[in-house]
Amino acid sequence: MAEFLDVVLSYPTLPYSVVLCFAVIYWTLAATGIVDEGGIGSGDGADFHSADGGATGLAAMFARLGLGGAPTMLVVLLLAFFGWTITYLVQLFFLQSLPTPLRWGIGTAVAIAALIPGAVVSSWVLRPIRRLLMKLRPVEQESILGKAGLVTSPDVTAERGYAQFDDGGAGLILQVRSRDGRRYMRGDQVRLVDYLREHNHYLVVGDAELPALDVSIPQVSGDKEIH
């Protein structure tokens, strides 16, 4: 145990030991919910990175090394672990017997060179993880603004109303409201033109009114809501 601690806390293993401890503490806190890793979404810093052409900083560097498509802190953990393993073994079986100046010089070269096999092995480990993360990504919902449907309530006014819209499945029954005090009766065909998130309903117009109203339909992703 004493020899283990001596190697772990000596150069060149020490820098990797520090980074590895930090990464382990981070993931421990993430597992308990104290810090937010961001799950399978996208973000910056320690959150999930797709590491595409628009990525910057650490994520961009990982992408160039073939380590993109996984949480940044997971990549850091893997690099630190494999770098730590390499420097630990070199320090244990070779560097300990060398004079201090030579040990520091060779140790620095070993610490830097350890990143190369560490990156290669990490990329292998990340391949199945990337595939799993891609499968677990939420599917972006297509905007339903602009879709036509039929009024199912007795009427649709500025205060009340429901309409049914075809979404390629069982259909959607949505809360809808009319514009400009208009009123639509059951069976009338209407079209979604806006979603008012604060009121949790959609605005609709009659199909016949669209050319005259010159309605501009915003293309908002993920506005599908079932009410």
Side-chain angles (χ1 to χ4, degrees):
M1 185 64 180
E3 185 179 24
F4 172 79
L5 292 176
D6 182 61
V7 174
V8 166
L9 299 177
S10 60
Y11 190 81
T13 311
L14 179 59
Y16 284 104
S17 299
V18 173
V19 176
L20 183 60
C21 286
F22 172 78
V24 170
I25 291 172
Y26 176 89
W27 281 106
T28 302
L29 295 177
T32 57
I34 297 177
V35 297
D36 182 15
E37 168 53 24
I40 310 168
S42 59
D44 300 318
D47 293 343
F48 178 89
H49 289 283
S50 61
D52 54 16
T56 58
L58 196 58
M61 182 183 69
F62 286 161
R64 288 192 290 269
L65 294 174
L67 300 172
T72 300
M73 288 303 298
L74 176 59
V75 179
V76 171
L77 176 64
L78 291 174
L79 286 175
F81 173 75
F82 291 119
W84 180 89
T85 301
I86 293 169
T87 54
Y88 176 85
L89 294 176
V90 173
Q91 168 75 0
L92 179 64
F93 295 110
F94 177 66
L95 294 180
Q96 283 191 119
S97 59
L98 298 179
T100 300
L102 193 57
R103 187 175 72 242
W104 275 80
I106 298 178
T108 299
V110 170
I112 296 173
L115 290 172
I116 299 174
V120 173
V121 178
S122 295
S123 67
W124 292 343
V125 174
L126 287 173
R127 286 175 186 174
I129 297 176
R130 278 194 293 262
R131 288 195 291 267
L132 177 62
L133 292 177
M134 290 297 294
K135 291 180 181 180
L136 295 179
R137 274 187 177 181
V139 179
E140 292 187 4
Q141 294 180 326
E142 181 182 354
S143 173
I144 63 172
L145 295 181
K147 285 188 176 292
L150 296 178
V151 175
T152 55
S153 56
D155 60 3
V156 169
T157 66
E159 291 81 29
R160 63 182 181 274
Y162 288 88
Q164 182 173 9
F165 298 86
D166 181 17
D167 66 342
L172 299 173
I173 302 294
L174 304 177
Q175 290 192 62
V176 295
R177 303 291 186 268
S178 64
R179 294 161 47 105
D180 305 325
R182 295 177 182 270
R183 184 182 185 191
Y184 306 105
M185 305 306 295
R186 177 177 287 152
D188 287 349
Q189 184 162 299
V190 293
R191 193 173 295 269
L192 298 170
V193 295
D194 199 6
Y195 175 60
L196 303 182
R197 189 175 299 276
E198 64 274 16
H199 299 296
N200 199 31
H201 64 239
Y202 290 83
L203 292 180
V204 296
V205 297
D207 259 6
E209 303 166 25
L210 281 175
L213 290 174
D214 189 24
V215 175
S216 175
I217 300 175
Q219 296 301 310
V220 181
S221 174
D223 61 341
K224 183 186 290 187
E225 305 246 349
I226 301 176
H227 307 289

